[in-house]
Amino acid sequence: MVDWFANTLRSYPEIAIFLSLALGYYFGSFTYKGLGLGAVTATLIAAVIIGQLGITISPPLKATVFLMFLFAVGYGVGPQFVRGIAKDGVPQALFAAVVCVFCLAVPFLAAKIAGYDVGSAAGLYAGSQTISASMGLATDAINRIGLPPDETKRLLDAMPVAYAVTYIFGTVGSAIVLALLGPALLGIDLEAECKRYEEEHGGKKEAGGAGTAWHHYELRAYRVREGGMAVGLTAREAESRIVGERVFVERIQRDGRIMDATADTVIQAGDILAVAGRREVLVALVGKGAEEVEDRDLLAVPVEGVDVLVTNKKLDGKTLAELAVEPVARGVFLRKIVRGATATEIPILPNTKVHRGDILTIVGRTQDTSAAAKYIGVADRPSDIADVAFIGAAIAIGALVGAFVYKVGDIPLTLSTSGGALISGLVFGWLRSVHPTFGRIPSSTVWFMNSVGLNIFIAVVGISSGPGFVAGLQQLGFSLFLWGIVATTVPLVLAMYVGKYVFRFHPAILLGCCSGARTTTASLGMINDRAKSQIPGLGYTVTYAVGNTLLTVWGMVLVLLMT
């Protein structure tokens, strides 16, 4: 039975790939206090174990899925990357570039001191910085060195060994260094700093949350009594009586007839008003003597929550306080702001700035949200259809540009097809955010290309290098794990002090900036948990976009430095 299973996997290597994915995603889903192996590491371990059976996989498969993955990465971070470079994110983008230099220099020096070969050095870098994608560019670079096939294979086999040994601390250790040691090293009270940041920017903590019976925004009906304070006022005037809050008179029932209310509609005694606003504000109205009534017909209005991609140049850089007074904002409430490739949720504060490429989740009557969406940009309603022609053409264009080789003397310079696909994703992702009339890729498809594309690549790497894994681990041993600790910790410590004393970031977002520059999502989750706030996420998106690009490219640069 065992022989039959092994021979079947050797005859049909595609089964080995899917088995690696199944085991990797299953065991990678287990976490302890937010930390775990993750799908990539678990897939690699599973593939290496399966690879002990001596399975041969066709090389083009690995390159194909890796191009798909890199394009998806670039497509996702493109809007934030361009915005971060071009506008007010320049300090954060520059900080991320400095941190990326630390992340390259320390593993390089560690590999030199330890005497590791090029393959082990590339794996040490990829694992300690948890940037799996860099192994693809490092693989391309090693293949271009011109070494004998046996030597090239030995170096490529050493890479996933070093990656697997150093990745675990790269993930867990970065979270520990930033979230647990970071505040102590910097001498800050993270929770207090986040509260201070919110107070400085007019933020308020919200009760309740997803999955609870409490709703933030509601539509309730109130009868206007004879002599009431709203009698004779326009809807806008009545709404302005509730200072500091956004409430709207949406509909009116008058003499048995229901009509939509505009800002200039005059309220009369006996009217029944459908008022929209925050729950606690509407509840307070009852306490002030307003008579709430049950009126199903009046309240039976179509409402929706819709994600809107911001493309309007007029909104770029405006604060939420400025946008709230726009006529088109009447009757519309903002529930969420999502920014960046990792869909980082941005706190909703009066001084929070909106940028093109952000996704705003707005709620309200369908007619109001439709009008607002048209003004803001493009409503991103759910769809299962991807523009596959665009995906294929964009990857092909990027790969063709990357395949071009320019020689300086005897030194060939090239982006490689992998680097070309990444840059193509950046460019077309940004174009899509500015002109979302083409190139639609649903978020589920981007996730598939990103996650599954990378993990198929990792599975092929693990299966192909499986036979040499045990021997390589015995050769490099525990010292590699220790060097991985150094390569993970030192850049993060340097980043924290540079962010505090050179760039002078606010303490509330500093650790988020460090987390983004090192593209370590696990640490951001722990930082937010320690801070009891989402404020650190404000420093994550621009730095992540820059860091994710540079750290990936560094895989190729490290090989050049080592050789």
Side-chain angles (χ1 to χ4, degrees):
M1 185 66 180
V2 175
D3 290 340
W4 172 84
F5 180 74
N7 290 330
T8 300
L9 293 187
R10 294 189 191 102
S11 301
Y12 303 97
E14 60 271 23
I15 299 177
I17 294 174
F18 281 109
L19 181 58
S20 299
L21 292 177
L23 295 173
Y25 276 95
Y26 177 74
F27 288 104
S29 65
F30 293 104
T31 61
Y32 178 72
K33 294 186 177 180
L35 299 176
L37 285 177
V40 175
T41 304
T43 298
L44 175 60
I45 294 173
V48 168
I49 294 173
I50 295 172
Q52 302 303 313
L53 299 176
I55 299 169
T56 302
I57 298 177
S58 177
L61 173 63
K62 183 172 67 173
T64 300
V65 295
F66 192 66
L67 290 183
M68 182 175 69
F69 158 72
L70 283 174
F71 176 79
V73 170
Y75 183 89
V77 302
Q80 297 304 319
F81 182 85
V82 174
R83 185 188 69 79
I85 294 298
K87 298 191 70 175
D88 59 322
V90 169
Q92 290 186 12
L94 182 59
F95 170 76
V98 172
V99 174
C100 287
V101 172
F102 295 154
C103 293
L104 172 64
V106 175
F108 169 71
L109 292 176
K112 280 292 188 181
I113 295 172
Y116 294 142
D117 58 34
V118 177
S120 298
L124 167 65
Y125 164 75
S128 63
Q129 310 309 311
T130 62
I131 189 73
S132 314
S134 68
M135 290 197 293
L137 296 182
T139 298
D140 285 348
I142 290 174
N143 284 326
R144 292 176 182 275
I145 294 176
L147 298 173
D150 291 345
E151 178 65 12
T152 298
K153 185 177 185 305
R154 186 185 67 81
L155 294 178
L156 293 179
D157 288 347
M159 192 189 310
V161 177
Y163 170 85
V165 173
T166 57
Y167 182 88
I168 294 176
F169 186 84
T171 301
V172 179
S174 61
I176 292 173
V177 171
L178 289 176
L180 302 183
L181 300 181
L185 292 175
L186 297 174
I188 61 175
D189 183 333
L190 188 57
E191 183 178 351
E193 291 293 346
C194 288
K195 288 181 179 178
R196 182 165 66 88
Y197 188 96
E198 291 182 354
E199 292 172 357
E200 290 173 354
H201 294 77
K204 297 180 181 178
K205 276 285 185 180
E206 294 183 357
T212 69
W214 181 89
H215 298 282
H216 195 162
Y217 302 108
E218 289 191 349
L219 185 67
R220 304 175 78 153
Y222 300 92
R223 177 177 284 110
V224 179
R225 295 173 177 172
E226 188 73 38
M229 66 176 186
V231 175
L233 300 179
T234 64
R236 180 187 291 110
E237 292 171 338
E239 294 162 359
S240 66
R241 291 293 183 94
I242 304 177
V243 181
E245 293 290 347
R246 301 183 75 238
V247 295
F248 304 101
V249 178
E250 303 277 24
R251 306 177 89 197
I252 298 176
Q253 185 183 99
R254 179 178 297 165
D255 299 326
R257 189 167 51 88
I258 296 176
M259 59 182 179
D260 289 331
T262 67
D264 298 323
T265 300
V266 177
I267 299 172
Q268 299 178 8
D271 287 348
I272 299 178
L273 311 181
V275 183
R278 291 198 303 126
R279 180 186 179 96
E280 57 262 42
V281 176
L282 300 184
V283 170
L285 287 178
V286 178
K288 293 181 179 178
E291 179 188 355
E292 185 172 9
V293 298
E294 172 66 17
D295 193 323
R296 295 183 181 182
D297 293 334
L298 182 65
L299 298 179
V301 296
V303 296
E304 70 170 347
V306 60
D307 293 337
V308 183
L309 184 68
V310 179
T311 60
N312 190 341
K313 293 181 180 180
K314 297 178 181 179
L315 305 187
D316 196 29
K318 283 193 174 184
T319 65
L320 295 181
E322 293 172 329
L323 296 178
V325 299
E326 296 276 355
V328 76
R330 186 176 185 275
V332 176
F333 300 93
L334 179 62
R335 189 167 64 192
K336 185 169 64 173
I337 304 175
V338 168
R339 181 174 297 165
T342 55
T344 302
E345 187 170 342
I346 302 301
I348 298 177
L349 310 172
N351 289 335
T352 296
K353 291 184 178 180
V354 172
H355 300 285
R356 286 200 296 173
D358 286 353
I359 296 178
L360 309 184
T361 301
I362 59 176
V363 295
R365 291 187 303 172
T366 301
Q367 64 196 72
D368 294 329
T369 56
S370 296
K374 185 177 180 180
Y375 178 72
I376 295 170
V378 178
D380 190 19
R381 292 183 170 87
S383 172
D384 295 330
I385 301 175
D387 190 345
V388 180
F390 162 79
I391 295 173
I395 294 177
I397 292 171
L400 285 171
V401 172
F404 179 77
V405 179
Y406 180 77
K407 285 193 174 183
V408 178
D410 294 330
I411 302 176
L413 298 179
T414 179
L415 288 171
S416 79
T417 55
S418 302
L422 176 63
I423 292 176
S424 175
L426 288 170
V427 173
F428 284 106
W430 173 73
L431 287 175
R432 159 70 183 169
S433 73
V434 179
H435 301 287
T437 56
F438 70 98
R440 177 179 177 79
I441 309 179
S443 58
S444 57
T445 304
V446 174
W447 177 89
F448 183 87
M449 294 172 65
N450 196 321
S451 180
V452 179
L454 173 61
N455 279 291
I456 291 178
F457 169 81
I458 290 296
V460 174
V461 169
I463 292 171
S464 301
S465 63
F469 179 85
V470 176
L473 187 59
Q474 291 174 343
Q475 176 186 351
L476 298 175
F478 189 69
S479 62
L480 175 62
F481 181 76
L482 296 178
W483 280 116
I485 293 176
V486 173
T488 295
T489 304
V490 173
L492 292 176
V493 174
L494 292 175
M496 288 188 286
Y497 285 115
V498 168
K500 180 178 181 179
Y501 294 109
V502 178
F503 288 86
R504 299 184 180 280
F505 292 133
H506 193 289
I509 67 170
L510 170 56
L511 295 176
C513 290
C514 296
S515 181
R518 244 297 310 280
T519 66
T520 167
T521 307
S523 66
L524 179 65
M526 185 176 285
I527 291 168
N528 286 344
D529 183 61
R530 295 274 295 178
K532 298 180 181 178
S533 171
Q534 295 294 323
I535 292 295
L538 289 172
Y540 186 79
T541 53
V542 172
T543 52
Y544 176 89
V546 176
N548 200 43
T549 303
L550 290 181
L551 290 178
T552 299
V553 174
W554 278 180
M556 176 175 59
V557 174
L558 181 69
V559 173
L560 296 177
L561 291 175
M562 292 293 294
T563 55

